[in-house]
Amino acid sequence: MVDRADRFIEVSLDKRGVSCTAKLLDDLAPITCDAVWNALPLGGDVYHAKYARNEIYALLPPFAPEEPPLENPTITPIPGDLCYFTFTDTQLGTKSYGYETEAKHQGRRQVIDLALFYERNNLLINGDAGWVPGIVWGTVVDGLDRMADACQDLWRAGALGETLNFRRV
């Protein structure tokens, strides 16, 4: 593998004015890191997890020239993990997920989920599909405490009008 300088991104909840800094895990998930890095900036409506627990995420159209393989997978993300998931339209199409019919990802054949896990005790299992492994492609190195507070506020106060954004530092 090519030795390269560390790469960092900002992850933000813009309406709340909160951000954190994450380091890309190029050594563990090089294909996914390149796909995300080359597509930045990325962002969209934020959602708080219903099943995975302490997770916020944005659902995006595919942006990689080819979908990354399941490199550096987990089903038990830890605080600060950034994860990448690929879903089909039918996987996210049931009413049990709570997405409104106007959600921007509705009608897409494939949906990319970029997620931030902000607290412990997460388990990626889904009642409809079973285990849902994600690719860990980054880790928060600064500001996780502030982001976790904002995520808790998002859980309690609601996500409408808020966006989750990923930008190069």
Side-chain angles (χ1 to χ4, degrees), residues 45 47 57-61 87-94 97-112:
D45 293 340
Y47 294 93
Y57 60 96
L59 298 173
L60 308 167
F87 295 106
T88 65
D89 56 349
T90 57
Q91 287 174 301
L92 299 181
T94 65
Y97 292 102
Y99 300 119
E100 66 278 10
T101 56
E102 300 82 30
K104 293 177 183 167
H105 73 279
Q106 298 290 10
R108 293 185 191 147
R109 293 186 53 118
Q110 190 176 49
V111 178
I112 305 305

Side-chain angles (χ1 to χ4, degrees), residues 118-140:
Y118 64 88
E119 188 51 77
R120 299 171 52 101
N121 299 319
N122 304 293
L123 184 60
L124 301 179
I125 190 165
N126 175 294
D128 296 332
W131 298 110
V132 184
I135 301 168
V136 182
W137 58 274
T139 186
V140 175

Side-chain angles (χ1 to χ4, degrees), residues 18-82:
V18 176
S19 66
C20 58
T21 303
K23 178 183 179 235
L24 273 61
L25 300 176
D26 284 303
D27 55 333
L28 300 173
I31 297 168
T32 306
C33 288
D34 281 345
V36 173
W37 183 261
N38 292 334
L40 293 175
L42 293 166
D45 293 340
V46 68
Y47 294 93
H48 194 287
K50 188 173 184 180
Y51 300 106
R53 199 158 179 182
N54 302 300
E55 170 196 12
I56 61 170
Y57 60 96
L59 298 173
L60 308 167
F63 51 81
E66 187 173 309
E67 275 307 297
L70 190 58
E71 54 185 357
N72 198 31
T74 190
I75 57 165
T76 56
I78 62 173
D81 276 353
L82 297 180

